[in-house]
């Protein structure tokens, strides 16, 4: 069997608490800011994508994506 | 009569005002709940209750003035009751405001992800703190200075000057209220605009309500001074109004710094 590498987003000193909501939200925003700055599909943004997909519940990501499409996303993109 | 009692305390005559105030409070609370749940007659009961409470305040305090100024029951030791009582009331009001400012800080210092983790939330129109809010932060202390002027005039026995000083105090207060009303009318956001609107309007709204009450209190003091009720040794009612007024004007500083200035950046 091949070794499967399992890892998640690294511990971020900006978010030392057990509740990592803000960490997830910040990574989501960072990914979208990176994409806005460097263009869609840029590989620099991949690591942010992996971070937020690990940290954030699927329902939140879907909700935020929908809000972004409607123009009602409240965060500072 | 007071000459025949062998103590310097005031044993009050039986009065209907406590029960009438209680009934008014009952009508207000029940009517309020009925109104908020859209029961028929709720609004009527609520308004009746409020009117009844206001009436009770008027007649009760009129009786206090009759017993003190006109009948002379308020000896030095009796005066301590209202003095300490009013100070404690002001302390309770401080706690009341503390709650609203804490609510504001709770929401603004660590804004939740639901509002985007930023403050003020996206799309909220914020007022420029250096326009009317700043002016309205300078007016209360000036009014406080005027009330201190009035106090010194009373202590010096300069009765007419005291009336003029109280008129100045009240005029400044009315100007403040006018500007605040205008600002509310023109404000770009409302109380239902996210937690920002809720905290902003509750904190500033209750402050404005207290300004109006303080203004009324000062107007009554002005009338009493004009009628000659206040002497240089005995003017507990005026002192209470002046303390309340200083409390209201100090409270104004907190929303200016934390809500208008910091909260809008």
């Amino acid at each position: 069997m091949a070794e499967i590498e399992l890892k998640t987003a690294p511990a971020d000193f900006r978010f030392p608490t057990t509740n990592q909501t803000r960490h997830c939200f910040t990574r989501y925003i960072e990914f979208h800011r990176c994409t806005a700055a460097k263009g869609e599909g840029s590989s620099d943004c991949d690591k942010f994508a992996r971070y937020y997909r690990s940290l954030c519940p699927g329902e939140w990501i879907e909700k935020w994506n929908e809000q972004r499409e409607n123009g009602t996303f409240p965060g500072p993109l | 009569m007071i000459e025949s009692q062998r103590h310097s305390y005031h044993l009050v005559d039986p009065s209907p005002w406590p029960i009438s105030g209680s009934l008014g409070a009952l009508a207000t609370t029940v009517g309020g709940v009925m109104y908020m749940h859209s029961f028929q007659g709720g609004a009527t009961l609520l308004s009746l209750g409020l009117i009844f409470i206001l009436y009770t305040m008027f007649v009760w305090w009129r009786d206090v003035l009759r017993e003190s100024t006109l009948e002379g029951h308020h000896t030095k030791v009796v005066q301590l009751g209202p003095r300490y009582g009013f100070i404690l009331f002001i302390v309770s009001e401080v706690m009341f405001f503390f709650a609203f400012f804490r609510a504001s800080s709770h929401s603004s210092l660590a804004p939740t992800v639901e509002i985007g983790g930023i403050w003020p939330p996206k799309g909220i129109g914020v007022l420029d703190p250096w326009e009317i809010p700043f002016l309205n932060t300078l007016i209360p202390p000036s009014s406080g200075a005027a009330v201190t002027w009035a106090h010194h005039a009373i202590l010096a026995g300069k009765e007419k000057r005291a009336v003029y000083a109280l008129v100045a105090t009240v005029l400044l207060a009315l100007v403040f209220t006018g500007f605040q009303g205008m600002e509310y009318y023109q404000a770009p956001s409302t109380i239902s605009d996210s937690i920002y609107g809720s905290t902003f309007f509750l904190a500033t709204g209750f402050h404005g309500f207290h300004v109006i009450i303080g203004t009324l209190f000062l107007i009554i003091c002005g009338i009493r001074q004009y009628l000659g009720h206040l002497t240089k040794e005995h003017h507990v009612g005026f002192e209470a109004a002046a303390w309340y007024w200083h409390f209201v004007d100090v409270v104004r500083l907190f929303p200016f710094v934390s809500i208008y200035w910091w909260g809008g950046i």
Side-chain angles (χ1 to χ4, degrees):
Chain A
M1 293 286 277
E3 277 290 330
I4 304 173
E5 205 193 341
L6 296 169
K7 57 181 183 183
T8 181
D12 189 336
F13 70 90
R14 296 175 295 174
F15 312 104
T17 50
T18 305
N19 185 331
Q20 293 279 288
T21 306
R22 218 169 275 284
H23 189 183
C24 135
F25 189 69
T26 305
R27 293 300 190 196
Y28 181 83
I29 300 238
E30 279 174 351
F31 171 72
H32 286 96
R33 281 187 178 171
C34 173
T35 311
K38 306 235 167 114
E40 291 281 340
S42 160
S43 59
D44 302 318
C45 303
D46 279 351
K47 72 167 193 246
F48 294 127
R50 281 200 297 275
Y51 294 162
Y52 88 74
R53 286 169 200 160
S54 285
L55 289 164
C56 303
E59 291 104 348
W60 295 8
I61 299 178
E62 277 159 27
K63 183 178 73 184
W64 292 334
N65 288 340
E66 217 178 282
Q67 284 179 335
R68 277 188 311 114
E69 269 154 51
N70 293 343
T72 57
F73 184 70
L77 283 174
Chain B
M1 284 313 295
I2 194 159
E3 307 89 52
S4 56
Q5 69 185 48
R6 306 242 203 118
H7 61 82
S8 41
Y9 297 93
H10 182 197
L11 296 169
V12 204
D13 290 329
S15 160
W17 312 132
I19 189 97
S20 87
S22 312
L23 290 170
L26 179 66
T28 305
T29 46
V30 172
V33 171
M34 282 171 71
Y35 173 69
M36 286 188 264
H37 289 268
S38 308
F39 278 96
Q40 211 179 25
T44 318
L45 189 58
L46 172 63
S47 334
L48 271 177
L50 285 170
I51 291 173
F52 214 65
I53 290 182
L54 285 168
Y55 174 69
T56 304
M57 288 178 178
F58 175 74
V59 288
W60 189 328
W61 287 327
R62 183 184 61 180
D63 275 358
V64 172
L65 293 186
R66 285 173 174 173
E67 290 158 8
S68 57
T69 307
L70 304 179
E71 291 177 18
H73 286 286
H74 282 204
T75 61
K76 272 283 176 233
V77 69
V78 170
Q79 284 171 49
L80 287 178
R83 275 168 171 268
Y84 287 145
F86 204 75
I87 290 175
L88 289 171
F89 172 65
I90 292 183
V91 171
S92 81
E93 295 260 78
V94 168
M95 292 299 117
F96 182 74
F97 274 100
F98 185 72
F100 289 108
F101 291 124
R102 173 57 72 93
S104 192
S105 315
H106 175 91
S107 307
S108 60
L109 288 168
T112 61
V113 299
E114 282 82 355
I115 51 169
I118 49 173
W119 192 270
K122 190 168 165 188
I124 296 281
V126 163
L127 296 162
D128 182 349
W130 300 108
E131 294 190 358
I132 294 197
F134 184 57
L135 176 66
N136 264 0
T137 306
L138 294 175
I139 293 180
S142 324
S143 189
V147 88
T148 306
W149 174 30
H151 194 190
H152 284 259
I154 292 178
L155 291 169
K158 304 263 191 252
E159 308 202 337
K160 216 189 256 184
R161 200 181 292 182
V163 176
Y164 293 147
L166 276 169
V167 164
T169 310
V170 167
L171 277 174
L172 283 166
L174 292 170
V175 164
F176 172 91
T177 305
F179 274 129
Q180 192 69 17
M182 201 175 84
E183 188 190 65
Y184 267 26
Y185 191 67
Q186 295 180 333
S189 35
T190 73
I191 197 171
S192 31
D193 282 326
S194 105
I195 189 69
Y196 180 88
S198 303
T199 52
F200 178 87
F201 284 102
L202 272 174
T204 58
F206 269 118
H207 178 256
F209 180 58
H210 283 71
V211 168
I212 292 172
I213 293 183
T215 308
L216 226 73
F217 197 172
L218 286 166
I219 291 176
I220 293 179
C221 283
I223 295 174
R224 291 185 67 206
Q225 170 62 9
Y226 181 73
L227 295 173
H229 289 195
L230 308 174
T231 72
K232 55 171 112 139
E233 285 96 25
H234 187 171
H235 45 263
V236 178
F238 173 82
E239 282 172 317
W243 293 335
Y244 197 74
W245 198 243
H246 290 310
F247 149 70
V248 155
D249 92 60
V250 166
V251 164
R252 170 63 195 196
L253 290 172
F254 292 95
F256 178 70
V257 171
S258 60
I259 297 181
Y260 282 101
W261 187 2
W262 182 87
I265 299 176

